[in-house]
Amino acid sequence: MVEHAKLVEADLLSLSQVVSFTSSLMGENIKLLEVTPEVANGLETGDVLTMRGEEGDNSVLCSHNKTFEIKEAETSNSLLLVSQLAFPEQISKTDSRKLGWRNVTGVFYKYLELVEIRPKLRKLKEMLTETPYTEDSKKSGQVGPKFEELMDKVQASEEEIRKGLKDFECLELEGMWFILDQDYQMKVLSYILRFFDENSWKFDCVEKAETVSALSELVPAQVVSQVFGFYCQPMVGGKEDEFTLDTDKVCRFYGDFLLAANTGYLLAEFLDMWQKAVPDGINTDISQLAGLVLVEDKDPPVIKRFTESSLPLTITDRLTVLFSARERWTVEEISPFVSTLTTNKLNVNALLTKHARVMNIG
């Protein structure tokens, strides 16, 4: 056989494997899954892949930090499932030559592949906004979902769900998760900002422990501590208990709070009211409301609440709503409303080029 194949025996490994087919091949009860090197390495070090979602959801597979859509692919080449096949790096180069018999137990022309997608976090927000945490929630014994329940129902990895909880400014109380009622959140934030002012603290250096201790008579300490964390970041170069107020986040919350109370404002009127609402020393800017508002091109201009989270999940439906609301958008204006639909291979510019018409003006 070696001579007929015109091979040099000295070039061969010590093990030659003879492959033959078994009489009964495995069928639909086995699925082949192609994964990326990163996922494969993760599985080898103890990571797991978990299918998540509820009945009616399209299947997704999650690692500890990424979410994947599962797609079926076909190949014109046969994929053979062979038991106990030895790879070259597993074969000794010094042993005497021998034969090994291997069985093909399955032949496949289809396999599953993973396509990385953005986490589907809208379900997370919907679950938590059904019963927001109010000033009276503790007295009434309000119950919220535990993290395990969120993991079962939300189509996202553990790491992505935790990031979503942080981005949505959620509270964890006694192992349960809540979104704060907006009025209650404004009340707690106002207490915190007023305490900063009473102590004449500059916004780039405020103290957490003293704030939480002083306000715990008015608001549960756990609530004060976590709301403080929404708007204050550890001070660069500061001590352990020194923090810096994120003034952009404060402005964004105040702006959203004002807009939620009305169907719309004259732009000039809103900008003036918004600036007067925030504490002295903080400057508002319309860019802080990206993805939250729509400025209608009227005379005079009108601003209204128009949140990215309220838009359809598919790009075609979303663009239909966006271009119904306004005939023309700049890339900068529309980006906050479509960026959540981008992928590693399709950024905002590519997405818009694919689904919309570009116009050069001027």
Side-chain angles (χ1 to χ4, degrees), residues 321-335:
V321 172
L322 287 168
F323 283 100
S324 295
R326 181 195 287 179
E327 184 179 355
R328 296 177 181 176
W329 297 78
T330 65
V331 173
E332 183 180 1
E333 290 168 341
I334 203 172
S335 289

Side-chain angles (χ1 to χ4, degrees), residues 62-119:
C62 300
S63 65
H64 77 283
N65 65 345
K66 290 184 178 180
T67 303
F68 302 92
E69 187 177 37
I70 306 171
K71 290 190 174 183
E72 188 174 67
E74 294 187 11
T75 175
S76 57
N77 297 319
S78 301
L79 298 174
L80 305 182
L81 186 62
V82 184
S83 62
Q84 299 180 331
L85 185 70
F87 291 95
E89 61 271 14
Q90 299 172 316
I91 301 173
S92 171
K93 296 181 180 180
T94 58
D95 293 346
S96 58
R97 296 200 67 252
K98 57 185 177 182
L99 292 179
W101 301 91
R102 305 292 182 255
N103 291 324
V104 175
T105 56
V107 181
F108 302 88
Y109 299 95
K110 294 180 180 180
Y111 62 95
L112 302 178
E113 61 180 1
L114 300 183
V115 179
E116 186 178 346
I117 59 172
R118 283 185 173 270

